[in-house]
Amino acid sequence: MKLIKIICNVAIAVLLITSPLSPLGCNSPGEKVVTSAETSDQLVLRAEQTQQVARQTFNLLVNLERDHEDVLRSFNPAIHSVTEKVREHGLDYVDSVHRATKAFKYERTADNQATLNTYLNTLNQLLNEARPYLLSAQNRLK
Amino acid sequence: MGTIIAIALKYLPYLVEASNSVPQIVSFISEMRQVFQRTKVWTPEQEKEFEEQTAHMRQDPAWQTDAQRGKTGGV
């Protein structure tokens, strides 16, 4: 009986999904499909999402660390070191990725793509370094 | 035809119960659509907004380093 309920729910969901509500990512009639533009769009999308996530993460970390500086320093001094690194470079890296994304978006050359990838890697490295310390700080302050 | 009606009637209670979930299913699909629609390349206006937010963030005292606050390093 439970299985039948589940099947009925799934059937309704599938019907709704295959109705005009659903086709996400499909092109509207007459729209040209350009594979290379789609691929570079994926890179631009990824770059823009990374900028946003990185900035959010960095902002959380610097504010949390500043608000609870003494507690976190005595808990783990490395939190302060990494946060200082984020303060020094974080927004600059975000800005670099932002400028490189815009450059590549409006002029899709191999050079612009390579520059964007380089700045993206640098930003991701700092983000990956900062994340565990943010988590550690949040856990300590729970 | 009679068989079809019989089967439909047999499963009607389950379909009715399942149809009570329709609002939740529609809500779920609507939220997923919003998530997908957010994953679109930024417009020039969104780019500008992002730049302004970043510039504003730089003014936040929480972003000042120890050197900028006039504090020496070390514990």
Side-chain angles (χ1 to χ4, degrees):
Chain A
M1 194 183 293
K2 201 173 174 183
L3 179 63
I4 292 170
K5 258 173 59 176
I6 291 168
I7 291 170
C8 289
N9 277 327
V10 168
I12 289 174
V14 165
L15 280 171
L16 287 170
I17 284 165
T18 55
S19 76
L21 277 179
S22 75
L24 298 164
C26 287
N27 298 303
S28 46
E31 196 178 333
K32 255 190 185 172
V33 175
V34 180
T35 308
S36 60
E38 283 175 8
T39 308
S40 3
D41 264 356
Q42 291 302 315
L43 174 56
V44 168
L45 264 175
R46 189 162 53 89
E48 287 173 348
Q49 286 166 2
T50 304
Q51 290 171 53
Q52 194 142 41
V53 167
R55 196 182 67 177
Q56 225 165 4
T57 305
F58 294 160
N59 196 43
L60 256 172
L61 178 61
V62 302
N63 274 284
L64 195 68
E65 198 271 343
R66 184 55 48 84
D67 289 343
H68 303 94
E69 192 170 345
D70 294 336
V71 170
L72 292 174
R73 259 209 225 227
S74 55
F75 167 63
N76 182 359
I79 293 175
H80 182 72
S81 315
V82 170
T83 311
E84 282 291 290
K85 192 173 172 184
V86 166
R87 287 186 176 115
E88 212 169 336
H89 301 296
L91 291 181
D92 290 340
Y93 289 176
V94 167
D95 274 342
S96 297
V97 169
H98 187 74
R99 280 193 300 271
T101 307
K102 276 169 66 172
F104 178 63
K105 202 195 286 191
Y106 299 116
E107 199 178 343
R108 306 208 180 202
T109 62
D111 280 347
N112 284 345
Q113 184 173 350
T115 304
L116 175 54
N117 276 323
T118 302
Y119 286 140
L120 208 44
N121 285 339
T122 308
L123 180 60
N124 272 319
Q125 275 173 24
L126 184 60
L127 182 58
N128 290 335
E129 197 178 341
R131 264 202 191 112
Y133 290 98
L134 174 60
L135 279 170
S136 170
Q138 284 172 327
N139 285 335
R140 170 63 184 84
L141 295 167
K142 267 186 192 168
Chain B
M1 187 64 174
T3 314
I4 293 170
I5 293 170
I7 291 171
L9 283 172
K10 184 180 169 187
Y11 289 106
L12 190 60
Y14 305 117
L15 286 170
V16 167
E17 202 171 336
S19 71
N20 288 333
S21 309
V22 166
Q24 285 85 355
I25 294 169
V26 168
S27 173
F28 165 72
I29 291 169
S30 169
E31 281 192 45
M32 290 303 286
R33 287 194 77 194
Q34 283 174 42
V35 167
F36 281 114
Q37 280 167 0
R38 270 197 284 265
T39 56
K40 279 184 177 171
V41 170
W42 289 348
T43 60
E45 291 75 28
Q46 286 172 309
E47 285 170 0
K48 192 164 171 10
E49 190 185 342
F50 187 84
E51 286 159 24
E52 284 168 3
Q53 286 170 352
T54 308
H56 190 256
M57 218 172 258
R58 287 182 186 276
Q59 309 306 316
D60 186 344
W63 277 90
Q64 286 184 332
T65 59
D66 287 343
Q68 286 165 332
R69 287 196 299 165
K71 278 190 165 187
T72 53
V75 183

